[in-house]
């Protein structure tokens, strides 16, 4: 029992990945932006080719992407910023990933209820967001 009590705090401590300095934190933020940009780009492709996809497939893709974006966001959110500058980096990447998750959720809601209302606009918005995420990742290479 005593061993279990010693292991549990270690496992819980492992949930928050440390960032030793601003450079390390920036790398983690850049990797988060790259992952989110990939997810957004995948959704953009699906929206552009919506007519060729079945509704259940599109729903599944959007659901899994929303889950992936939430996971990426929560994993990075567990990283403690080492400085005030890192807090600003966190605010910027969190804003971008939250926007990505929100856009995907809106599309998922539209697909569940009927179809994507404005697929061309949605694809353009997703492309712009993916570009912003990639630009962030370039400023914070992992």
């Amino acid at each position: 029992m005593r061993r279990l009590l010693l292991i549990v705090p270690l496992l819980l401590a492992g949930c928050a990945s440390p960032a030793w300095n601003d450079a390390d934190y920036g790398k983690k933020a850049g990797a988060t932006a790259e992952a989110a940009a990939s997810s957004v780009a995948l959704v953009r492709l699906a929206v552009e080719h919506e007519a060729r996809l079945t509704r259940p497939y599109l729903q599944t893709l959007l659901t899994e992407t929303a889950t992936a974006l939430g996971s990426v966001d929560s994993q990075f959110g567990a990283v403690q910023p080492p400085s005030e500058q890192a807090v600003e980096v966190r605010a910027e990447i969190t804003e971008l990933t939250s926007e990505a998750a929100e856009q995907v959720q809106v599309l998922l809601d539209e697909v569940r209820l009927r179809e994507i209302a404005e697929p061309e606009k949605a694809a353009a918005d997703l492309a712009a967001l993916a570009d912003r995420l990639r630009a962030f990742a370039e400023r914070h290479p992992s």
Side-chain angles (χ1 to χ4, degrees):
M1 180 69 165
R2 189 177 301 190
R3 287 184 195 159
L4 181 61
L5 293 175
L6 293 173
I7 292 173
V8 170
L10 291 174
L11 291 174
L12 293 175
C15 294
S17 172
W20 305 111
N21 54 40
D22 285 348
D24 186 41
Y25 194 81
K27 287 178 183 179
K28 291 175 187 289
T32 298
E34 287 175 13
S38 293
S39 293
V40 169
L42 175 63
V43 171
R44 180 188 56 81
L45 285 172
V47 168
E48 286 177 346
H49 301 284
E50 173 194 20
R52 301 164 105 182
L53 304 175
T54 65
R55 189 167 160 176
Y57 178 80
L58 189 55
Q59 278 183 290
T60 300
L61 185 136
L62 292 171
T63 300
E64 289 181 4
T65 303
T67 301
L69 285 168
S71 176
V72 163
D73 197 36
S74 67
Q75 285 177 0
F76 182 74
V79 179
Q80 299 300 313
S83 69
E84 284 297 318
Q85 181 182 359
V87 170
E88 293 173 14
V89 169
R90 178 179 63 185
E92 185 179 356
I93 188 60
T94 301
E95 181 180 328
L96 289 168
T97 56
S98 294
E99 183 179 340
E102 184 178 327
Q103 283 190 24
V104 172
Q105 188 60 52
V106 166
L107 292 169
L108 179 56
D109 291 344
E110 288 181 1
V111 168
R112 282 184 180 151
L113 297 173
R114 53 194 177 295
E115 60 189 30
I116 297 174
E118 299 179 67
E120 296 84 16
K121 181 182 181 322
D125 290 347
L126 290 165
L129 179 56
D131 288 345
R132 289 174 35 221
L133 284 159
R134 285 190 192 99
F136 180 95
E138 287 175 9
R139 289 194 317 274
H140 304 279
S142 55

